[in-house]
Amino acid sequence: MVDADRGSLFLVEGAAAGKKSLVSKFFDVHAGTPLLPCGSTENSNEVQVPWGKGIIGYVAEHGETVNIPDAYQDRRFNDEIDKLTGYKTKSLLCMPIRNSDGEIIGVAQAINKTPGGAPFSDDDEKVMQMYLPFCGIAIANAQLFAASRKEYDRSRALLEVVNDLFEEQTDLEKIVKKIMHRAQTLLKCERCSVLLLEDIESPVVKFTKSFELLSPKCSADAESSFKDSVEKSSSYSDWLINNSIAELVASTGLPVNVSDAYQDPRFDAEADQISGFHIRSVLCVPIWNSNHQIIGVAQVLNRLDGKPFDDADQRLFEAFVIFCGLGINNTIMYDQVKKSWAKQSVALDVLSYHATCSKAEVDKFKAANIPLVSELGIDDIHFDDFSLDVDAMITAALRMFMELGMVQKFKIDYETLCRWLLTVRKNYRMVLYHNWRHAFNVCQLMFAMLTTGGFQEILTEIEILALIVGCLCHDLDHRGTNNAFQAKSGSALAQLYGTSATLEHHHFNHAVMILQSEGHNIFANLSSKDYSDLMQLLKQSILATDLTLYFERRTEFFELVSKCGYDWNIKDHREIFRSMLMTACDLGAVTKPWEISRQATELVTSEFFEQGDRERFELKLTPSAIFDRNRKDELPRLQLEWIDSICMPLYESYAGRMINGK
């Protein structure tokens, strides 16, 4: 259309300004060029231009059209390509390509006006300006399709990973080899290694086992040299299990992504000298077990295309390693095939049901004005549990975190807090009672007792944070049936966690899964010790909502209260105090004014009756009175017994403390 002898198309790669570059597989196109680029499958045939360099880089960075009659007279022109190809560039017309949002996604370049070598005219510029928006639409659509296809392939690959890992749970070496093969396939890297900790309980990081795998796509000579060096050198094994980057990841629990190893002070170049393998980039992530303990690290080295690992690689690797951790942990800890099946069943069930919140939701609450405590009424023991809608409960929860000083004290990123709260809300099922509203109401009562009951003076800030988070997460993914039903039905949850505190263990593990999801770790800025302490406290808080535990310990609690025997320096006394506090908040609906309490009780009863119906028709069992809608006339008596024998003694103990200040 512009009578150019040749042309080139460069596309922008990289999201961040410091990582952007321009890449072309359609370079130096002329009349004899085939439709498809010769480099469509070989990255080595790509032409790369650094961002801001040369005329192409200049146009991409500034978004300006460049039309020059003699390229060699322009200081921005880079003649390296001419030298390489032997082609002489004279006139040149270069323009940016934009998408529908006005972002520059590429650069088009027409070279040498024909015939006669005249410069490109104003009319040529107008033609290009009219043509390139259509190119931008086509390219953007193609990129969206490619991204969608890539995510689909990766999701399918992750499902294959799950299948692989749960097929083999008897031989550690076999399962680790599968992990490394899958990692290389997913990340397309030259090398992969897995390091396992000697003692996951020890504060000192020490690796006891290491596994290495070189990609078959590396050259045979490189593979042979690497294997010979590793097999003959004990010093390489010593370096591997004393790798400073791996040690850092294992001690902090945070991933490390190094784009240029030799520019990172944590990298020890001695490894390359020993093995004869040149390390360019490193992506290292922790491997966790089901109890949120680090059992090792996994790392991949050198993408096959020569580029550093990007954010998408890191997200994929972290998701992949979650499943790897489950597989390794099961191989080490479990000897029953049923448990591995149950873990897979529960994980797939949760993944199929839940999703994280959207960016639009996060942005909405991030920008929202948060009402004061007095406006929300959340410091009132008699707060109306049904007064706030689902969005208002999010803003009220944000206010609680701010009012208790948690955001400032623990440097919680506000956007992360909004995202975490919204995802927690989304991970409650639409059951009649044990839903997001119940979780919020439990948290509100905890907040009121902390701020008006004087308990804030007794508890540490870490304990308070664990209690607030524990309240919000204590019934995550509740299915509307109790622990007894899980045991009777032989559900996957019961097989996975056993018959003791089945749901409570599931609620805690689900809370950990959310915290480990990208952009959800509200504890990211805690020190390693505080993080470890907090996770233990969080687990205790959620497990404390199991009434079986309450019955086991309440006699001891009542005696300590009645005899004024509490010693806040005794760890066990503090633990039982927090546990009873969780129960008091969990059962708090019975303390509310009649209309509120009645409404909550109707919801609980309806949920119980639905469980009773399932017991009768699915399990062919006769439900107990409180779950049997055919015996609803007995409800008043059962409710009074519940309040008088279970609830009242607990609240009397706390009320005595609040009145007497003891």
Side-chain angles (χ1 to χ4, degrees):
M1 290 190 294
V2 297
D3 294 323
D5 182 47
R6 299 194 177 194
S8 302
L9 171 66
F10 287 82
L11 298 182
V12 175
E13 286 194 356
K19 297 180 180 179
K20 284 185 179 180
S21 64
L22 293 132
V23 177
S24 176
K25 290 182 181 178
F26 283 103
F27 178 76
D28 209 18
V29 176
H30 53 83
T33 304
L35 178 62
L36 292 176
C38 59
S40 59
T41 58
E42 296 295 332
N43 290 321
S44 59
N45 289 325
E46 289 182 348
V47 176
Q48 295 193 22
V49 173
W51 190 256
K53 300 295 183 182
I55 290 177
I56 294 165
Y58 174 86
V59 170
E61 183 175 32
H62 297 280
E64 300 175 6
T65 295
V66 170
N67 185 354
I68 51 178
D70 188 346
Y72 281 83
Q73 298 303 312
D74 194 296
R75 60 180 177 77
R76 297 167 295 186
F77 180 69
N78 187 335
D79 66 349
E80 290 182 9
I81 302 297
D82 277 10
K83 291 178 180 178
L84 185 66
T85 61
Y87 183 80
K88 178 74 171 181
T89 301
K90 185 169 176 58
S91 57
L92 190 149
L93 176 58
C94 194
M95 284 188 181
I97 302 173
R98 301 178 186 271
N99 62 15
S100 59
D101 295 324
E103 299 170 339
I104 294 174
I105 60 172
V107 173
Q109 180 176 250
I111 304 169
N112 290 356
K113 178 80 171 179
T114 61
F120 291 98
S121 65
D122 292 343
D123 287 340
D124 293 330
E125 286 191 34
K126 290 177 183 177
V127 169
M128 287 277 278
Q129 285 171 347
M130 288 187 291
Y131 174 64
L132 291 185
F134 295 99
C135 299
I137 293 170
I139 291 169
N141 286 343
Q143 288 175 333
L144 284 172
F145 177 80
S148 175
R149 181 69 191 185
K150 186 175 182 180
E151 286 305 310
Y152 170 79
D153 290 341
R154 287 185 167 189
S155 297
R156 187 174 63 179
L158 281 177
L159 288 176
E160 290 173 357
V161 167
V162 176
N163 183 63
D164 277 358
L165 295 180
F166 286 97
E167 275 183 354
E168 176 58 67
Q169 298 201 54
T170 57
D171 188 298
L172 182 62
E173 187 170 350
K174 285 183 180 179
I175 199 168
V176 171
K177 282 185 177 179
K178 281 189 175 185
I179 287 169
M180 293 190 295
H181 276 296
R182 280 293 181 187
Q184 287 182 341
T185 302
L186 288 173
L187 278 300
K188 295 180 174 57
C189 62
E190 293 181 1
R191 214 171 102 202
C192 178
S193 61
V194 171
L195 309 177
L196 299 182
L197 288 171
E198 182 177 64
D199 182 2
I200 62 175
E201 301 289 348
S202 173
V204 179
V205 174
K206 185 178 180 182
F207 297 110
T208 183
K209 291 183 179 179
S210 62
F211 304 87
E212 283 280 310
L213 185 66
L214 196 69
S215 171
K217 292 187 178 181
C218 292
S219 69
D221 291 342
E223 183 176 3
S224 176
S225 173
F226 172 73
K227 287 183 176 179
D228 287 345
S229 299
V230 171
E231 289 172 1
K232 294 175 182 178
S233 175
S234 61
S235 58
Y236 178 78
S237 298
D238 293 339
W239 172 85
L240 195 60
I241 62 175
N242 291 286
N243 182 340
S244 58
I245 291 178
E247 288 177 350
L248 177 66
V249 172
S251 61
T252 63
L254 300 174
V256 169
N257 190 347
V258 178
S259 58
D260 187 344
Y262 279 81
Q263 298 301 314
D264 194 294
R266 297 167 296 187
F267 177 71
D268 184 359
E270 184 183 354
D272 284 4
Q273 297 170 10
I274 296 171
S275 67
F277 181 93
H278 180 68
I279 298 175
R280 299 187 306 273
S281 54
V282 180
L283 176 57
C284 186
V285 301
I287 303 173
W288 304 83
N289 67 11
S290 58
N291 294 320
H292 198 72
Q293 296 170 300
I294 295 174
I295 59 175
V297 299
Q299 66 178 9
V300 286
L301 307 174
N302 298 0
R303 268 180 41 166
L304 289 171
D305 60 7
K307 298 175 184 177
F309 296 103
D310 56 25
D311 293 340
D313 292 326
Q314 183 171 324
R315 289 194 300 271
L316 177 65
F317 198 31
E318 287 177 321
F320 167 74
V321 168
I322 290 174
F323 294 107
C324 296
L326 294 176
I328 292 173
N329 184 57
N330 286 346
T331 305
I332 296 172
M333 301 298 294
Y334 301 136
D335 57 1
Q336 296 180 2
V337 176
K338 274 188 177 181
K339 290 210 172 187
S340 64
W341 173 87
K343 189 177 289 289
Q344 182 185 17
S345 176
V346 172
L348 292 177
D349 181 36
V350 171
L351 288 172
S352 66
Y353 189 91
H354 298 300
T356 56
C357 61
S358 68
K359 183 179 184 301
E361 288 180 300
V362 176
D363 292 341
K364 170 186 169 183
F365 285 97
K366 184 181 176 184
N369 291 322
I370 308 301
L372 299 173
V373 169
S374 57
E375 296 175 76
L376 294 163
I378 52 176
D379 59 343
D380 186 359
I381 296 291
H382 303 300
F383 172 80
D384 183 351
D385 288 353
F386 303 93
S387 61
L388 301 180
D389 62 29
V390 289
D391 284 349
M393 286 188 280
I394 294 289
T395 57
L398 288 167
R399 173 54 64 190
M400 286 187 236
F401 273 86
M402 292 186 284
E403 193 70 16
L404 291 169
M406 300 292 100
V407 176
Q408 300 86 346
K409 168 63 182 176
F410 298 106
K411 298 181 177 60
I412 299 175
D413 179 75
Y414 192 73
E415 181 176 336
T416 301
L417 179 60
C418 293
R419 184 180 298 108
W420 176 80
L421 280 169
L422 287 163
T423 296
V424 166
R425 180 179 75 179
K426 203 161 189 175
N427 278 258
Y428 276 91
R429 299 195 180 199
M430 299 298 288
V431 294
L432 290 169
Y433 181 75
H434 290 96
N435 49 37
W436 162 246
R437 181 173 295 280
H438 167 65
F440 170 80
N441 290 334
V442 173
C443 186
Q444 180 276 322
L445 187 54
M446 178 67 75
F447 175 80
M449 293 179 75
L450 288 170
T451 54
T452 64
F455 298 137
Q456 196 173 1
E457 303 163 9
I458 296 170
L459 297 166
T460 66
E461 290 169 317
I462 287 282
E463 287 174 317
I464 291 171
L465 179 59
L467 288 170
I468 291 293
V469 172
C471 287
L472 291 170
C473 297
H474 83 283
D475 272 332
L476 273 170
D477 194 44
H478 200 290
R479 285 94 189 282
T481 52
N482 63 8
N483 285 332
F485 182 87
Q486 306 305 320
K488 292 174 187 175
S489 62
S491 69
L493 285 174
Q495 293 185 46
L496 178 58
Y497 300 108
T499 56
S500 176
T502 302
L503 287 169
E504 288 72 23
H505 278 100
H506 179 58
H507 302 325
F508 170 71
N509 285 343
H510 201 80
V512 172
M513 185 178 73
I514 292 174
L515 286 167
Q516 288 179 335
S517 300
E518 183 189 11
H520 290 77
N521 189 2
I522 57 174
F523 306 145
N525 292 320
L526 271 67
S527 68
S528 180
K529 182 182 184 306
D530 284 348
Y531 187 91
S532 177
D533 292 343
L534 179 62
M535 294 309 295
Q536 287 297 319
L537 292 169
L538 178 60
K539 185 174 185 178
Q540 290 172 6
S541 299
I542 293 176
L543 294 186
T545 58
D546 177 17
L547 283 178
T548 303
L549 182 63
Y550 166 67
F551 287 125
E552 288 175 358
R553 304 206 67 179
R554 72 177 193 156
T555 301
E556 178 186 357
F557 173 69
F558 295 155
E559 287 179 359
L560 285 170
V561 172
S562 63
K563 297 176 181 178
C564 298
Y566 252 98
D567 184 346
W568 301 113
N569 294 316
I570 297 177
K571 183 179 178 181
D572 189 60
H573 286 195
R574 299 185 72 88
E575 181 179 342
I576 193 174
F577 174 79
R578 294 191 308 271
S579 296
M580 295 296 134
L581 199 57
M582 286 295 298
T583 302
C585 294
D586 195 17
L587 308 181
V590 302
T591 69
K592 299 300 177 75
W594 167 246
E595 283 304 318
I596 303 169
S597 182
R598 181 184 60 80
Q599 191 174 348
T601 303
E602 287 176 352
L603 292 172
V604 175
T605 302
S606 297
E607 190 176 280
F608 281 1
F609 283 167
E610 287 190 358
Q611 175 178 318
D613 292 343
R614 292 186 64 185
E615 289 181 7
R616 175 175 282 110
F617 297 111
E618 293 178 18
L619 306 181
K620 309 303 180 185
L621 299 172
T622 301
S624 58
I626 199 167
F627 296 95
D628 193 346
R629 67 174 70 250
N630 297 333
R631 299 168 65 183
K632 60 184 177 182
D633 55 309
E634 297 181 41
L635 271 178
R637 175 181 59 81
L638 294 171
Q639 284 294 319
L640 287 175
E641 289 176 359
W642 166 263
I643 293 170
D644 291 341
S645 63
I646 295 174
C647 303
M648 186 64 75
L650 178 61
Y651 294 118
E652 285 176 340
S653 297
Y654 277 114
R657 192 270 159 202
M658 293 165 69
I659 294 169
N660 301 321
K662 296 179 182 178

